Amino acid sequence: NWCPDCVTGRGKEEPHRERERKGDFPTISMDDGFLAKKEDEGCNPVLIVNDGESGAPFPHVVPCTGASNDWVAYKVIADIAELGYNRIRLRSDQEPAIDALAADIKAKRIEDTLLENSPKGDRQSNGGAERAVQSVMGHVRVLKCALERGIGEENPLSCHIWAWLVEHAAMLLR
């Protein structure tokens, strides 16, 4: 038997089982990632859009988190269109910048868009987006190392090639 202290100290949350959703909307998740530490100069955030059905990631290097530019919302809308979805459930964490972006996307889309926030402090409930961030950023680091080794020099993260490299990494993963 597990003692209460062991459960509190080392126990894991109950697993989030996938619910059967007949006729329900497909889930699209969003989260931010960074190519380096947030405080590094020239390090733009990467918005990761993830399809819950296929696991396909769609990352975009953005000037800042959230909906500061209309083109960010339109890029996400284009990603959703590429997936072929009309009605969707758009899931994000409770970060204000991502919530604002989700609201902007909902306002710009003609089709049904249900907004859903993951519970505060529960990273598993937005796990698809979290895994997509890890996968894409890991693949970007691999491609970055290969590129730098190939050209024989290190490029700063603010170099324009990184915006392309992020999207290319996701294309390879898809």
Side-chain angles (χ1 to χ4, degrees):
N1 289 339
W2 287 87
C3 74
D5 297 329
C6 290
V7 170
T8 301
R10 293 184 292 193
K12 295 185 178 182
E13 286 186 66
E14 290 293 318
H16 293 261
R17 305 252 185 249
E18 190 66 33
R19 297 187 314 255
E20 188 174 327
R21 294 182 173 175
K22 291 185 178 177
D24 202 2
F25 296 7
T27 300
I28 304 295
S29 303
M30 296 188 303
D31 201 5
D32 286 325
F34 292 86
L35 293 172
K37 294 177 188 154
K38 290 182 184 182
E39 57 273 0
D40 285 352
E41 193 171 321
C43 178
N44 288 355
V46 178
L47 174 70
I48 307 273
V49 178
N50 187 63
D51 175 25
E53 297 293 316
S54 67
F58 294 86
H60 306 288
V61 176
V62 294
C64 62
T65 58
S68 62
N69 294 314
D70 276 346
W71 74 266
V72 177
Y74 286 118
K75 286 292 271 186
V76 175
I77 290 169
D79 296 337
I80 295 165
E82 185 176 329
L83 290 164
Y85 297 142
N86 291 324
R87 301 164 30 153
I88 64 161
R89 178 182 315 277
L90 190 58
R91 181 182 292 160
S92 61
D93 54 18
Q94 294 187 22
E95 183 181 326
I98 296 285
D99 279 350
L101 175 59
D104 194 29
I105 291 165
K106 180 178 179 167
K108 288 175 172 32
R109 288 190 81 232
I110 297 168
E111 296 86 0
D112 287 338
T113 303
L114 299 176
L115 299 183
E116 182 179 276
N117 282 332
S118 58
K120 202 170 195 77
D122 186 1
R123 297 175 65 89
Q124 278 187 338
S125 62
N126 202 17
E130 296 283 340
R131 281 189 305 281
V133 168
Q134 291 172 356
S135 295
V136 170
M137 292 307 161
H139 208 63
V140 166
R141 285 189 296 272
V142 168
L143 294 174
K144 177 183 182 291
C145 290
L147 175 66
E148 290 174 345
R149 187 175 39 78
I151 63 175
E153 63 181 64
E154 189 175 317
N155 283 324
L157 289 173
S158 60
C159 183
H160 296 295
I161 196 166
W162 301 125
W164 172 84
L165 192 69
V166 166
E167 294 199 23
H168 181 68
M171 185 197 68
L172 293 173
L173 290 170
R174 285 194 300 271

